[in-house]
Amino acid sequence: MTPLTIEAEPYPFEFKPQKCALLIIDMQRDFLEPGGFGEMLGNDVSQLRQTIAPNQHLLAAWRGAGLQVLHTREGHRPDLTCLPPAKRIRGRAPKTIGDPGPMGRILVRGQNGHDIISELSPLPSEPVIDKPGKGAFYATDLHAILQNRGIEQLVVTGVTTEVCVNTTVREANDRGYDCLVPEDCVGSYFPDFQVWGLKMIKAQGGIFGWVSHSDHIHAVLSNLYSTSIDTTDLALP
Ligand code: TIU
């Protein structure tokens, strides 16, 4: 069987479709939409909004290929019992997590601002992981879900590159997952952090994983059923 490979740095990524999930990190209104928590902190949301179209396109192709998708949201219980006091007061902003904001209480589960942007709405079959921290593995059942579904590889997209995407890739790497990050599908409020956040992943022979572009993923997905590869392991449960 010819292995499927996705062009990537530091070297081609050996793609096992049935064992690879698309993990979309924190594409939430509070981070991406004007008037949300991110902009309230003085950030330029246009940097993040550039990732919406590439994520929509990749999500559509991934779903079209019948592969697994998961989404995450950063946020807290309405009673804030999962919010560390240190996180609540960090930044010394006039408004913080749990306070009323323009899209409901800031980063509180169930509020409009906490939810995923409509362009990338999860399907009922796609698990949504509510996480209290930056990493998607900390204090969540993500690892159990991935293990139960036979996932060994992750394509990680979303925001922000140097915060929740990087933290999640590092957590995943330590748990034995191979991670591929398409650079056009991740975004940072800070252009230089975007560059360095990606360099940190692929440095030293892929210390945390691989960096690619969604064009290279599309090239492989579009060929998935039209080449001579052995597709017997592509059927999902
Ligand atoms: N999802 C995520 O990255 N949460 C953040 O708080 N990111 C910032 O860059 N602040």
Side-chain angles (χ1 to χ4, degrees):
M1 173 176 119
T2 313
L4 284 173
T5 55
I6 296 172
E7 196 177 318
E9 290 185 274
Y11 55 87
F13 181 81
E14 194 173 319
F15 180 41
K16 301 171 186 166
Q18 196 205 357
K19 296 178 178 176
C20 188
L22 175 62
L23 180 63
I24 305 178
I25 304 290
D26 298 1
M27 292 292 280
Q28 295 162 251
R29 297 192 181 103
D30 263 333
F31 294 125
L32 286 130
E33 294 202 340
F37 184 47
E39 190 174 77
M40 191 186 294
L41 295 176
N43 296 307
D44 173 12
V45 293
S46 68
Q47 301 284 334
L48 303 196
R49 297 189 63 79
Q50 292 172 11
T51 69
I52 297 174
N55 267 289
Q56 278 183 296
H57 188 202
L58 183 60
L59 179 59
W62 202 267
R63 285 173 175 163
L67 306 181
Q68 301 192 51
V69 179
L70 300 96
H71 306 254
T72 72
R73 298 183 293 207
E74 178 178 348
H76 298 275
R77 293 169 182 258
D79 64 6
L80 305 182
T81 47
C82 63
L83 175 63
K87 182 177 178 182
R88 193 179 64 79
I89 62 172
R90 185 85 48 79
R92 298 179 172 173
K95 283 202 173 210
T96 186
I97 298 168
D99 290 344
M103 290 188 272
R105 292 177 66 203
I106 296 164
L107 287 188
V108 169
R109 295 174 191 165
Q111 303 290 304
N112 194 40
H114 170 264
D115 209 356
I116 292 169
I117 57 172
S118 55
E119 294 93 327
L120 296 168
S121 285
L123 294 177
S125 59
E126 297 169 353
V128 177
I129 308 295
D130 278 320
K131 62 188 185 62
K134 305 305 181 193
F137 289 84
Y138 171 67
T140 73
D141 53 7
L142 175 60
H143 187 51
I145 292 173
L146 297 175
Q147 294 292 296
N148 293 339
R149 293 181 160 211
I151 296 298
E152 297 174 2
Q153 304 182 326
L154 296 169
V155 170
V156 185
T157 73
V159 298
T160 62
T161 308
E162 78 281 10
V163 182
C164 293
V165 171
N166 241 277
T167 306
T168 297
V169 167
R170 291 166 188 230
E171 287 183 328
N173 179 60
D174 279 346
R175 287 164 177 78
Y177 299 95
D178 281 332
C179 295
L180 178 75
V181 180
E183 60 189 3
D184 56 317
C185 295
V186 296
S188 171
Y189 297 120
F190 311 101
D192 47 347
F193 288 178
Q194 170 77 1
V195 171
W196 286 99
L198 292 167
K199 278 186 195 283
M200 285 181 190
I201 290 168
K202 67 185 176 185
Q204 301 184 65
I207 192 92
F208 298 123
W210 286 257
V211 175
S212 185
H213 188 283
S214 65
D215 286 348
H216 301 313
I217 303 175
H218 288 292
V220 174
L221 289 179
S222 61
N223 280 329
L224 212 49
Y225 298 101
S226 61
T227 61
S228 59
I229 58 151
D230 179 352
T231 55
T232 51
D233 71 339
L234 294 182
L236 290 171

